[in-house]
mmCIF file of all heavy atoms in Angstrom:
data_model
loop_
_atom_site.group_PDB
_atom_site.id
_atom_site.type_symbol
_atom_site.label_atom_id
_atom_site.label_comp_id
_atom_site.label_asym_id
_atom_site.label_seq_id
_atom_site.Cartn_x
_atom_site.Cartn_y
_atom_site.Cartn_z
ATOM 1 N N ALA B 62 -15.497 -25.506 -12.414
ATOM 2 C CA ALA B 62 -14.509 -26.161 -11.483
ATOM 3 C C ALA B 62 -14.670 -27.701 -11.564
ATOM 4 O O ALA B 62 -13.731 -28.428 -11.603
ATOM 5 C CB ALA B 62 -14.679 -25.655 -10.040
ATOM 6 N N SER B 63 -15.962 -28.112 -11.500
ATOM 7 C CA SER B 63 -16.162 -29.600 -11.521
ATOM 8 C C SER B 63 -15.629 -30.181 -12.872
ATOM 9 O O SER B 63 -15.099 -31.277 -12.886
ATOM 10 C CB SER B 63 -17.732 -29.889 -11.454
ATOM 11 O OG SER B 63 -18.173 -29.153 -10.264
ATOM 12 N N GLY B 64 -15.859 -29.443 -13.969
ATOM 13 C CA GLY B 64 -15.364 -29.952 -15.295
ATOM 14 C C GLY B 64 -13.938 -30.042 -15.284
ATOM 15 O O GLY B 64 -13.327 -31.030 -15.792
ATOM 16 N N LEU B 65 -13.195 -28.975 -14.707
ATOM 17 C CA LEU B 65 -11.732 -28.993 -14.746
ATOM 18 C C LEU B 65 -11.253 -30.102 -13.845
ATOM 19 O O LEU B 65 -10.310 -30.833 -14.180
ATOM 20 C CB LEU B 65 -11.230 -27.704 -14.175
ATOM 21 C CG LEU B 65 -11.489 -26.394 -15.001
ATOM 22 C CD1 LEU B 65 -11.218 -25.033 -14.259
ATOM 23 C CD2 LEU B 65 -10.576 -26.444 -16.316
ATOM 24 N N ASP B 66 -11.880 -30.321 -12.676
ATOM 25 C CA ASP B 66 -11.551 -31.407 -11.757
ATOM 26 C C ASP B 66 -11.636 -32.783 -12.466
ATOM 27 O O ASP B 66 -10.777 -33.583 -12.457
ATOM 28 C CB ASP B 66 -12.513 -31.230 -10.556
ATOM 29 C CG ASP B 66 -12.146 -32.259 -9.508
ATOM 30 O OD1 ASP B 66 -10.917 -32.535 -9.230
ATOM 31 O OD2 ASP B 66 -13.073 -32.866 -8.939
ATOM 32 N N ALA B 67 -12.798 -32.972 -13.193
ATOM 33 C CA ALA B 67 -13.046 -34.288 -13.865
ATOM 34 C C ALA B 67 -12.027 -34.465 -14.964
ATOM 35 O O ALA B 67 -11.655 -35.571 -15.294
ATOM 36 C CB ALA B 67 -14.430 -34.275 -14.280
ATOM 37 N N ALA B 68 -11.604 -33.348 -15.536
ATOM 38 C CA ALA B 68 -10.586 -33.503 -16.624
ATOM 39 C C ALA B 68 -9.166 -33.687 -16.098
ATOM 40 O O ALA B 68 -8.212 -33.890 -16.921
ATOM 41 C CB ALA B 68 -10.634 -32.169 -17.527
ATOM 42 N N GLY B 69 -9.010 -33.657 -14.729
ATOM 43 C CA GLY B 69 -7.704 -33.948 -14.212
ATOM 44 C C GLY B 69 -6.775 -32.789 -13.996
ATOM 45 O O GLY B 69 -5.564 -32.981 -13.730
ATOM 46 N N VAL B 70 -7.370 -31.579 -14.017
ATOM 47 C CA VAL B 70 -6.585 -30.334 -13.761
ATOM 48 C C VAL B 70 -6.238 -30.357 -12.247
ATOM 49 O O VAL B 70 -7.191 -30.452 -11.429
ATOM 50 C CB VAL B 70 -7.298 -29.105 -14.092
ATOM 51 C CG1 VAL B 70 -6.480 -27.815 -13.735
ATOM 52 C CG2 VAL B 70 -7.617 -29.055 -15.656
ATOM 53 N N PRO B 71 -4.980 -30.326 -11.813
ATOM 54 C CA PRO B 71 -4.701 -30.584 -10.429
ATOM 55 C C PRO B 71 -4.910 -29.282 -9.547
ATOM 56 O O PRO B 71 -5.064 -29.460 -8.356
ATOM 57 C CB PRO B 71 -3.169 -30.963 -10.373
ATOM 58 C CG PRO B 71 -2.659 -30.393 -11.681
ATOM 59 C CD PRO B 71 -3.801 -30.344 -12.737
ATOM 60 N N LEU B 72 -4.763 -28.101 -10.148
ATOM 61 C CA LEU B 72 -4.849 -26.861 -9.291
ATOM 62 C C LEU B 72 -5.860 -25.911 -10.086
ATOM 63 O O LEU B 72 -5.694 -25.681 -11.194
ATOM 64 C CB LEU B 72 -3.535 -26.250 -9.207
ATOM 65 C CG LEU B 72 -2.532 -26.876 -8.224
ATOM 66 C CD1 LEU B 72 -1.062 -26.613 -8.645
ATOM 67 C CD2 LEU B 72 -2.807 -26.478 -6.814
ATOM 68 N N ILE B 73 -6.821 -25.390 -9.295
ATOM 69 C CA ILE B 73 -7.787 -24.421 -9.898
ATOM 70 C C ILE B 73 -7.842 -23.307 -8.985
ATOM 71 O O ILE B 73 -8.098 -23.307 -7.710
ATOM 72 C CB ILE B 73 -9.110 -25.110 -9.870
ATOM 73 C CG1 ILE B 73 -9.163 -26.324 -10.697
ATOM 74 C CG2 ILE B 73 -10.191 -24.122 -10.339
ATOM 75 C CD1 ILE B 73 -10.384 -27.324 -10.599
ATOM 76 N N GLN B 74 -7.570 -22.056 -9.501
ATOM 77 C CA GLN B 74 -7.589 -20.845 -8.714
ATOM 78 C C GLN B 74 -8.984 -20.143 -8.702
ATOM 79 O O GLN B 74 -9.565 -20.007 -9.797
ATOM 80 C CB GLN B 74 -6.552 -19.839 -9.147
ATOM 81 C CG GLN B 74 -6.288 -18.725 -8.213
ATOM 82 C CD GLN B 74 -4.910 -18.116 -8.375
ATOM 83 O OE1 GLN B 74 -4.744 -17.215 -9.238
ATOM 84 N NE2 GLN B 74 -3.980 -18.578 -7.572
ATOM 85 N N VAL B 75 -9.463 -19.713 -7.531
ATOM 86 C CA VAL B 75 -10.837 -19.132 -7.444
ATOM 87 C C VAL B 75 -10.637 -17.974 -6.502
ATOM 88 O O VAL B 75 -10.415 -18.042 -5.315
ATOM 89 C CB VAL B 75 -11.792 -20.146 -6.727
ATOM 90 C CG1 VAL B 75 -13.162 -19.436 -6.524
ATOM 91 C CG2 VAL B 75 -12.012 -21.355 -7.661
ATOM 92 N N THR B 76 -10.846 -16.773 -7.080
ATOM 93 C CA THR B 76 -11.004 -15.473 -6.158
ATOM 94 C C THR B 76 -11.454 -14.491 -7.143
ATOM 95 O O THR B 76 -11.489 -14.637 -8.361
ATOM 96 C CB THR B 76 -9.595 -15.007 -5.616
ATOM 97 O OG1 THR B 76 -8.589 -15.634 -6.226
ATOM 98 C CG2 THR B 76 -9.637 -15.283 -4.094
#
Side-chain angles (χ1 to χ4, degrees):
Chain B
S63 308
L65 292 169
D66 181 41
V70 176
L72 286 155
I73 302 169
Q74 193 154 88
V75 174
T76 18

